Amino acid sequence: MEKHILSKSTFIKGLQCNKALYYSKHRRDLRDDISPAQEAIYVQGTSVGEFAQQLFPGGADCTPVSYYDFQKAVIRTQEEIEKGTKIIYEAAFQYNGVLAALDILVKHEDGWRAYEVKSSTSVSETYELDATIQYYCITNSGIELKDISIVHINNQYVKQGEIDVHELFTIASVKEKVLENLVAVPNQVAHLKKVLELKVEPEIQIGPHCSSPYPCDFAGHCWKQVPKYSAFNIARLHSAKKFDLLEKNAINFQDIPEDYPLNENQWMQVNSELNQETFIDQSAIRKFVNDMNYPIYHLDFETFASAVPVFDGSRPYQQLVFQYSLHIEHKDGKLEHKEYLAEMNGEDPRIKFIEQLINDCGEFGDVLVYNIVFERGKLKELIAFSPKHTLPLSNIVARLKDLMIPFRDRSYYTPEMQGSYSIKKVLPALVPELSYSDLNIKEGGTASNTFSQMVQGIFEGDIHSTRKDLLEYCKMDTLAMVRILGVLRGV
């Protein structure tokens, strides 16, 4: 059997951008490195797919030994069908040079039904296109499908005891939409094949399609002409305006027309960069600082989520607290540090988290966080989870104050912040000698993904040393808050 020309994934890639499709075959050397966050998404998708097989247990697995040897999977799938196998995992079909693998193929009493598993919580248009190319390959290979469905996560499911896969997953038929899409597929396939036959890459400019429906893995190459800091970094600027400035050759700050429609804060960012000027509203900052009540508890939470809930009383993708750091700043200048990191013993970490947090936060003094919406939301979830702790947790909620406010409201703005009020931008701007760069874990997404893999038993690193890395990262977050508040006092 000849090797396929298009696959389901390259078909979708080609519909998104012809140039990305061309590069995927002819210039793979230009592909961006896979980020840890993207790798975590792949791992989760694989895990969910394997879990969904429990909906139809006992199937024959046609997964190829090598990712590059799907033709054997196609042959194996046909063999399983011919010998009467009724449930097939990773069934592969090839037609007209197009390859499509399907997560689960099941022969019910009324005939064959196809199921594609997604780790999301709803059905998107892209998933319908996925299913369309699968339907195209399967039915043209001689299999009549009674239905084709997307199996996705039910985010209203609450785990109690063993996972109920029939409650965890929702099966949504997409056959009607697939049949609508199917009409265009032959022409789309023919066009994409011609793209792959081109001698030179298609001339396609960067645009919103670079990130929709998926972030392009060739963006690093295509966007290299865009400066690292440009109009694309102007805070809260609509995507259409960013690309409008690109078309006007005004992507650099100095080229933006003086009459271009930006709001006051956006012009502040532009002028700050052009003039290397810092904006400080001393009155607003004085009011913010003088409103602090000691002791000040600098608090930061870390959370994790998993598609398949791990603990009773939790839902898919619910952000569960597993760690906090607390720097306590006393009026006499004394600084002490407390912290919590969940143990890897299979127990739900939330009760111990709650009890230690209540003890560490005392009963009076401000609890300072960076982005109050997040910590307040997690505390309210903990109250709902453990009503007996309502009073002390509500006390903490009532004492919350937000260190982000002076930066969000532009009471303090420097060019180094580059339009952002994220602590990862504010810290190097105000306290350049304090940095995350020396840490093994440098941002919250990595911390979350790392712990999620640990708790699910799929982490491949050294758990002991990684726990230390998690503690150091979270500690840096609250130490950063202490130092940032110190700079505000100096104003």
Side-chain angles (χ1 to χ4, degrees):
M1 178 181 292
E2 292 186 4
K3 193 176 187 304
H4 59 280
I5 301 169
L6 290 167
S7 67
K8 182 183 69 171
S9 59
T10 55
F11 177 80
I12 297 297
K13 184 187 293 289
L15 294 184
Q16 180 173 336
C17 177
N18 285 182
K19 183 188 283 188
L21 173 64
Y22 179 90
Y23 283 158
S24 70
K25 179 177 180 180
H26 300 289
R27 294 301 310 272
R28 292 177 184 172
D29 58 301
L30 300 177
R31 183 175 281 136
D32 298 336
D33 293 334
I34 298 176
S35 68
Q38 191 63 46
E39 185 65 40
I41 292 173
Y42 293 153
V43 170
Q44 179 171 261
T46 300
S47 176
V48 169
E50 292 173 350
F51 211 88
Q53 291 175 359
Q54 297 179 33
L55 291 167
F56 306 99
D61 192 345
C62 290
T63 304
V65 175
S66 167
Y67 178 79
Y68 299 100
D69 200 9
F70 265 100
Q71 277 60 47
K72 288 184 178 178
V74 174
I75 295 170
R76 169 82 189 280
T77 299
Q78 290 303 126
E79 290 173 347
E80 294 294 340
I81 290 172
E82 289 170 5
K83 72 180 185 181
T85 303
K86 293 187 176 182
I87 301 172
I88 303 173
Y89 307 139
E90 295 301 321
F93 298 88
Q94 186 168 314
Y95 171 74
N96 191 23
V98 183
L99 171 77
L102 175 76
D103 286 318
I104 308 172
L105 181 67
V106 180
K107 190 170 189 180
H108 294 270
E109 290 184 1
D110 62 346
W112 291 102
R113 293 174 182 255
Y115 302 92
E116 180 66 8
V117 182
K118 301 295 182 182
S119 57
S120 69
T121 58
S122 61
V123 177
S124 68
E125 289 184 7
T126 308
Y127 296 164
E128 291 169 347
L129 287 173
D130 264 5
T132 302
I133 202 67
Q134 289 170 324
Y135 190 93
Y136 171 79
C137 291
I138 294 170
T139 55
N140 281 299
S141 296
I143 303 297
E144 182 182 348
L145 286 180
K146 291 295 183 181
D147 202 2
I148 183 166
S149 300
I150 301 296
V151 179
H152 65 85
I153 297 290
N154 168 24
N155 62 358
Q156 299 305 305
Y157 169 68
V158 179
K159 180 182 182 295
Q160 296 294 346
E162 292 295 320
I163 294 289
D164 184 339
V165 292
H166 296 282
E167 292 293 327
L168 173 65
F169 290 105
T170 296
I171 299 177
S173 172
V174 292
K175 185 177 180 181
E176 183 176 339
K177 190 63 179 178
V178 162
L179 293 176
E180 290 179 18
N181 294 336
L182 195 62
V183 178
V185 169
N187 287 337
Q188 289 169 333
V189 167
H191 170 71
L192 296 179
K193 284 181 178 180
K194 288 180 180 178
V195 170
L196 292 173
E197 293 172 356
L198 293 174
K199 300 301 182 184
V200 294
E201 66 191 55
E203 292 188 9
I204 297 175
Q205 299 302 313
I206 61 174
H209 62 272
C210 294
S211 56
S212 177
Y214 301 116
C216 179
D217 46 2
F218 294 99
H221 171 74
C222 293
W223 283 67
K224 63 184 179 183
Q225 80 274 20
V226 177
K228 188 173 182 181
Y229 184 47
S230 70
F232 278 95
N233 302 101
I234 295 177
R236 299 183 179 180
L237 183 63
H238 193 279
S239 174
K241 285 189 174 182
K242 294 177 181 180
F243 288 106
D244 178 53
L245 286 168
L246 179 65
E247 289 182 8
K248 288 179 166 62
N249 293 316
I251 197 64
N252 291 301
F253 287 97
Q254 62 267 27
D255 298 324
I256 298 174
E258 292 183 1
D259 60 349
Y260 198 79
L262 302 178
N263 64 35
E264 183 179 353
N265 280 343
Q266 290 166 346
W267 273 119
M268 174 193 281
Q269 179 183 346
V270 172
N271 291 326
S272 174
E273 177 63 19
L274 292 176
N275 304 318
Q276 288 299 291
E277 184 178 3
T278 294
F279 296 89
I280 298 177
D281 184 339
Q282 290 183 314
S283 175
I285 292 173
R286 184 181 300 113
K287 183 178 185 303
F288 179 83
V289 170
N290 290 343
D291 197 36
M292 290 288 147
N293 299 296
Y294 288 91
I296 301 173
Y297 297 83
H298 299 259
L299 178 64
D300 179 68
F301 291 168
E302 299 298 335
T303 61
F304 82 99
S306 60
V308 180
V310 179
F311 303 113
D312 285 356
S314 66
R315 302 183 309 277
Y317 294 113
Q318 182 180 356
Q319 294 285 341
L320 300 179
V321 292
F322 70 89
Q323 180 181 11
Y324 70 76
S325 174
L326 187 69
H327 272 92
I328 307 172
E329 189 179 2
H330 297 274
K331 197 167 188 177
D332 61 4
K334 178 185 175 184
L335 187 66
E336 58 179 314
H337 180 251
K338 297 180 182 293
E339 60 191 1
Y340 173 86
L341 176 59
E343 296 294 334
M344 306 302 302
N345 55 8
E347 292 182 3
D348 190 324
R350 286 176 288 180
I351 291 297
K352 288 184 178 178
F353 181 103
I354 290 169
E355 291 173 347
Q356 185 171 321
L357 180 68
I358 291 170
N359 183 65
D360 287 346
C361 282
E363 296 182 356
F364 60 92
D366 288 342
V367 180
L368 194 63
V369 296
Y370 205 95
N371 185 11
I372 196 170
V373 173
F374 177 73
E375 269 80 10
R376 182 166 56 199
K378 295 304 109 184
L379 286 165
K380 289 184 176 181
E381 284 185 13
L382 291 174
I383 290 171
F385 170 72
S386 182
K388 69 178 181 180
H389 293 103
T390 295
L391 288 178
L393 287 175
S394 296
N395 172 270
I396 295 173
V397 171
R399 293 154 55 200
L400 289 175
K401 287 184 178 175
D402 195 350
L403 182 58
M404 187 174 73
I405 288 174
F407 308 103
R408 183 198 65 195
D409 294 350
R410 293 290 198 266
S411 300
Y412 195 120
Y413 182 80
T414 75
E416 293 80 9
M417 291 179 194
Q418 298 186 337
S420 172
Y421 46 82
S422 159
I423 196 169
K424 299 300 188 298
K425 287 289 188 181
V426 171
L427 179 64
L430 272 65
V431 193
E433 68 274 14
L434 197 63
S435 174
Y436 289 83
S437 61
D438 294 332
L439 302 179
N440 290 326
I441 293 177
K442 298 175 175 60
E443 44 81 34
T446 301
S448 177
N449 291 333
T450 298
F451 187 83
S452 180
Q453 290 177 17
M454 284 181 170
V455 81
Q456 293 177 75
I458 58 176
F459 182 67
E460 296 181 353
D462 182 275
I463 290 181
H464 179 72
S465 64
T466 304
R467 284 179 63 84
K468 289 183 178 180
D469 294 339
L470 287 167
L471 290 169
E472 286 301 311
Y473 166 72
C474 197
K475 182 178 181 180
M476 176 64 82
D477 271 348
T478 52
L479 179 59
M481 292 167 61
V482 173
R483 298 291 297 276
I484 289 169
L485 182 60
V487 172
L488 293 182
R489 287 195 188 99
V491 170

